[in-house]
Amino acid sequence: MQTRTDLIEACTILIWIASVLHASVNFGQYPYGGYILNRPTKSMRFMPEKGTPEYDELATEYQKTYLRTITPKKESILNMTVLEVLSTHVSDEQYLGQRIEGGLWTTDSEPIEAYNKFGKKLAEIEQNLIEKNNDKSLRNRYGPVNMPYTLLYPSSEEGLTFRGIPNSISI
Ligand SMILES: [Fe+2]
């Protein structure tokens, strides 16, 4: 790194990876994949070939055959539990653009002002996303299943909320 611009770019990439990028793939794990029938984690058997007893069974008792093909009950419950824990915000989560400790993290007014400005910008972005998600003409945001993409709303409550960008990650 040679210049201040280089430093800003490196910091921006690090902050992006540890906050927004992570949030976009992490907090949807349970909402998207917790119900194992929507996203089986493994397939235990090959698709039966025509003329075999397994194929006949699939044709007559398709539900039983399908359930035997995907992740078993015990592993499914374990999987759901892990995904739920990973997708849950803790009670003292610190979100991007917010400070639990208020203005006590530094006595320099310039970074405090910059951080406040950053927080306000994030709140505007969140409002913009909410408006787009509520616009039913934007089907790419809303979709036929009425499940808008909320993972990049910066703020959240604790728990399983399908939204919220923590300031950083611990794992
Ligand atoms: Fe994660």
Side-chain angles (χ1 to χ4, degrees):
M1 273 186 272
Q2 301 298 321
T3 66
R4 195 177 182 188
T5 308
D6 292 345
L7 177 64
I8 291 170
E9 189 183 348
C11 288
T12 303
I13 291 169
L14 285 173
I15 292 167
W16 166 263
I17 291 170
S19 62
V20 184
L21 178 65
H22 171 259
S24 72
V25 295
N26 187 74
F27 295 98
Q29 288 186 86
Y30 185 80
Y32 284 134
Y35 185 55
I36 211 77
L37 295 177
N38 281 345
R39 192 193 58 88
T41 49
K42 55 186 168 183
S43 183
M44 315 291 283
R45 294 158 200 266
F46 292 117
M47 181 60 95
E49 294 199 24
K50 223 171 190 171
T52 62
E54 292 80 16
Y55 187 88
D56 294 340
E57 187 192 40
L58 179 64
T60 54
E61 297 185 76
Y62 54 88
Q63 196 171 25
K64 185 177 150 197
T65 309
Y66 174 67
L67 288 174
R68 204 170 49 226
T69 301
I70 63 168
T71 320
K73 261 188 214 168
K74 186 179 152 199
E75 286 80 1
S76 294
I77 291 169
L78 186 66
N79 197 293
M80 284 176 81
T81 308
V82 171
L83 292 184
E84 185 179 2
V85 170
L86 290 174
S87 302
T88 300
H89 291 292
V90 294
S91 59
D92 62 348
E93 194 90 273
Q94 177 151 297
Y95 298 97
L96 194 64
Q98 299 176 5
R99 287 274 173 179
I100 293 173
E101 72 276 34
L104 298 176
W105 58 285
T106 178
T107 53
D108 293 340
S109 60
E110 205 175 332
I112 288 176
E113 275 172 37
Y115 201 81
N116 288 343
K117 191 176 157 194
F118 178 59
K120 278 186 190 146
K121 185 74 186 163
L122 286 174
E124 282 172 32
I125 289 170
E126 182 172 308
Q127 197 50 45
N128 189 324
L129 291 173
I130 290 169
E131 283 167 24
K132 283 182 177 171
N133 280 339
N134 287 335
D135 184 346
K136 298 200 173 33
S137 70
L138 302 175
R139 289 183 52 79
N140 63 318
R141 306 201 67 88
Y142 202 80
V145 293
N146 295 342
M147 191 172 173
Y149 184 80
T150 58
L151 290 172
L152 292 184
Y153 291 179
S155 72
S156 177
E157 303 292 319
E158 75 173 273
L160 191 60
T161 61
F162 195 36
R163 62 181 288 172
I165 303 172
N167 195 52
S168 65
I169 48 177
S170 56
I171 57 171

